[in-house]
């Protein structure tokens, strides 16, 4: 494994402008979220194809990201990249399991026949795993969380 640190964006420190842009994106996202709160009580039309389309898109995106991060780890050799790639691999697999377990989608009780509690637990593990992987990546990259 070579230390080709300067050729990847992940190995460069963030500049002050990039940090400000990150904060701006967070503030704008929070503003959009707050503006959408009044519409949260409205029922949306039922679309049977939404869950498979969403889970499939998440699975494909996570697998592409996973392959790119594992490839970058093979070149740079930083453990944090392997941790982040593993997080994306896990979330992609959880999205696939969520898709297969969803009741009424592929079979009345889900293709895995686990029922709604299985789907709910898979959803929880799916959505907590990537933030944990990012926190581990930050810890490995900077030596601490703060």
């Amino acid at each position: 494994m070579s230390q080709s640190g300067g050729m990847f964006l992940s190995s460069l420190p963030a500049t002050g402008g990039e940090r400000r842009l990150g904060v701006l994106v967070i503030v704008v996202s929070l503003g959009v979220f707050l503006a959408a709160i009044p519409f949260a009580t409205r029922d949306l039309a039922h679309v049977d194809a939404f869950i498979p389309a969403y889970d499939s898109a998440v699975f494909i995106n996570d697998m592409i990201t996973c392959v790119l991060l594992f490839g970058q780890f093979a070149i740079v050799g930083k453990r944090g990249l392997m941790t982040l790639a593993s997080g994306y691999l896990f979330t992609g697999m959880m999205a696939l399991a969520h898709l297969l377990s969803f009741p009424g989608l592929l079979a009345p009780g889900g293709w895995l026949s686990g029922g709604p509690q299985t789907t709910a637990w898979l959803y929880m593990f799916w959505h907590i795993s990537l933030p944990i992987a990012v926190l581990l990546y930050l810890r490995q990259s900077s030596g601490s969380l703060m």
Side-chain angles (χ1 to χ4, degrees):
M1 288 184 244
S2 67
Q3 291 294 94
S4 305
M7 67 187 222
F8 290 110
L9 185 61
S10 64
S11 62
L12 299 175
T15 65
E18 291 166 340
R19 290 180 193 268
R20 284 189 295 277
L21 177 62
V23 170
L24 178 66
V25 167
I26 290 170
V27 168
V28 169
S29 297
L30 182 62
V32 169
F33 174 77
L34 292 174
I37 287 176
F39 302 102
T41 59
R42 288 196 169 170
D43 288 339
L44 298 175
H46 183 76
V47 179
D48 288 332
F50 178 77
I51 295 294
Y54 173 73
D55 283 354
S56 299
V58 168
F59 173 75
I60 291 168
N61 184 45
D62 284 355
M63 290 301 102
I64 290 171
T65 305
C66 169
V67 167
L68 292 173
L69 286 170
F70 274 128
Q72 196 171 6
F73 166 73
I75 295 169
V76 177
K78 292 187 178 181
R79 272 185 357 165
L81 289 172
M82 183 178 63
T83 301
L84 201 55
S86 299
Y88 274 100
L89 177 63
F90 185 79
T91 58
M93 293 295 113
M94 292 305 287
L96 186 61
H98 180 260
L99 171 69
L100 295 175
S101 73
F102 206 80
L105 185 62
L106 300 172
W111 203 48
L112 299 178
S113 299
Q117 284 297 314
T118 302
T119 303
W121 278 106
L122 287 172
Y123 183 86
M124 292 304 298
F125 287 129
W126 170 20
H127 283 84
I128 195 64
S129 60
L130 191 58
I132 290 172
V134 170
L135 288 174
L136 290 171
Y137 167 76
L138 290 173
R139 185 172 180 92
Q140 291 171 351
S141 296
S142 65
S144 69
L145 291 176
M146 298 293 166

